Amino acid sequence: PYQLLGQALREEPGILLQQTTTAQTSPVIRGFTGQGNVYLLDGVRFNTAAWRSGPSQYLAWIDPAIVDRIEIVRGPTSVQYGSDAMGGVINVLTEQPLFSTGAGARVGGRFDGFMGSADRSGGADGEITVQSEVAAFRAGATTRRVEELRAGGGIDSHAAVTRYLGLPSTILGNRMPDTGFDQSGAYLAGAVRIRDRGRLSTIFVHESQTGVNRYDRMLGGEGLYRSGFDPQALDFTLLRYQQPAA
């Protein structure tokens, strides 16, 4: 299973995925990454040109559980999205709550669990939905724990003993140290009918990552004892009113 939303873009034509750590992903579009691309969440800017210029980890903070689909525009789109949209635009569209078509309210929900063997990961997400003809809401929570990743064939070409001494990395174990992390979050989305054709919608997303380390700067990299991003958190709120033209 995908641990991070950006990993879903790995096989997309024209996109490369830079991943410095197991908890970060930064798409490269037309040679641009970081602030050279624009990220949108439901059409609203998620990053700005003032954010870090290098590969950025911010797309990894959006939990896949809330996503309906991802739209990608490759190439410069500065006329529509601003001067920093040089490489392209990634628009993450969340799953919107739907109004019921029958009389009375409907209550439902779902629960999903997942696990992976390569990184001994596991997690779950649950959601409750309430639907009526005039209002609809969905609320949920997610959590995942990712432990140290097992390299392909147990061989880690990044390990210092392999790079500098030509020795197999398995003498240090068959897993890559400092590649685990924890992530959890919650979300709330709602919509209310206003008069005949109006719609007031909102979404709130909170996400938190802990235990994230720059593995590339640890053993085999710059030899640092610790190089982490702890903690990292996202709080995103959107309130929107829509009314189609007559």
Side-chain angles (χ1 to χ4, degrees), residues 14 26 37 40 52 62 71 84 88 128 130 163 173 187 189 202 211 218 222 226 228 238 246:
S26 187
N37 299 321
L40 305 176
R52 59 181 296 188
I62 302 177
E71 295 180 347
D84 53 330
I128 296 176
V130 179
R163 295 176 59 193
Y187 58 91
T202 185
M218 308 289 284
E222 299 175 7
R226 185 179 187 278
L238 169 66

Side-chain angles (χ1 to χ4, degrees), residues 69-89:
R69 66 188 188 276
I70 303 175
E71 295 180 347
I72 302 169
V73 180
R74 300 167 179 83
T77 54
S78 298
V79 172
Q80 185 171 358
Y81 295 105
S83 60
D84 53 330
M86 296 178 289
V89 175

Side-chain angles (χ1 to χ4, degrees), residues 99-108 129-137:
F99 300 111
S100 66
T101 56
R106 298 172 55 187
V107 179
T129 59
V130 179
Q131 299 168 284
S132 72
E133 292 185 88
V134 296
F137 297 91

Side-chain angles (χ1 to χ4, degrees), residues 7-27:
Q7 293 172 341
L9 305 177
R10 278 176 174 168
E11 307 301 324
E12 285 297 312
I15 295 181
L16 299 176
L17 192 68
Q18 190 271 355
Q19 189 163 355
T20 303
T21 77
T22 53
Q24 295 177 282
T25 57
S26 187

